[in-house]
Amino acid sequence: MRIVIKIGTSTLAHSTGRLNIRRIEQLCKVMSDLKNSGHEIILVSSGAIGMGVGKLGLGGRPEDIASKQAAAAVGQCELMYVYDKLFAEYNHTVGQLLITGIDIENERHRKNFENTLYKLLELGALPIINENDTVSTDEIEIGDNDTLSAIIASSINAELLVLLSDINGLYNKNPKTHPDAEMIEVVRKITPDIVALSDGKGVLGTGGMATKIKAAELVTKSGCDMVIANGAYPKKLYDIVEGKPVGTRFIKENG
Ligand code: ADP
């Protein structure tokens, strides 16, 4: 199976902003094992700015664009250093792809990017993709890695997209503010009611899920299932890949 896995900053870092070493080690181990068992893995990872802030000792996320981009430049190196080191322990080779909105919109850029991605997979490497935060500004940015990973999953015909978040799945209300919220295990059709869970209408979700539901709309149309699951439990990735009930699964159209 060709699988795109998106890891957010909340999964990679402790609340202090520093790297969650145990978590990232476990994730890399499970992904290496899935790759060994024959799956193709493409990783979409955020975390560059956060790691740069830590490494430069900035004491907090900077407000101005230049400082943010400088932090991204430093943090992206650190992030890839960690991935390279951990995947190398299991004999896997990683390759870094940094893109912006222009690379998606411009047909020639997009073709080049896809060719590189396909070639990396053919060579048995593990592509690690992130938005190029060192040059991205509002006008040209994709904006978030839920969207980026969905674009990638649909353009390379992935069969599964996994979004690892700080929450177990999609709930009927925001569980952070509603203790009685219930998780939705399967979404077969993205109805207006499901979309409403993400746009802050009434007592429902506040927007953390908006980009994830948009991502589900995009990938399920291109024959790809999408799962939202909690990144705190890396071993659950095995069950997700086997189609067992973990988190919220959005079933592909006609699936
Ligand atoms: P990440 O950075 O991991 O991609 P986000 O912070 O963007 O995740 O989104 C996850 C957050 O969305 C949850 O922690 C939760 O507070 C919020 N949220 C809002 N509405 C919902 C909902 N209906 N179901 C689950 N989470 C929701």
Side-chain angles (χ1 to χ4, degrees), residues 48-63:
I49 297 178
M51 291 203 65
V53 167
K55 195 148 197 220
L56 289 165
L58 299 181
R61 228 179 147 85
E63 291 293 322

Side-chain angles (χ1 to χ4, degrees), residues 187-196 213 217:
V187 177
R188 294 192 185 276
K189 199 168 182 338
I190 302 167
T191 58
D193 283 351
I194 293 290
V195 175
I213 291 174
E217 279 183 312

Side-chain angles (χ1 to χ4, degrees), residues 202-223:
V203 294
L204 304 173
T206 51
M209 287 288 132
T211 51
K212 292 177 180 52
I213 291 174
K214 282 216 182 79
E217 279 183 312
L218 180 64
V219 298
T220 51
K221 279 201 186 88
S222 20

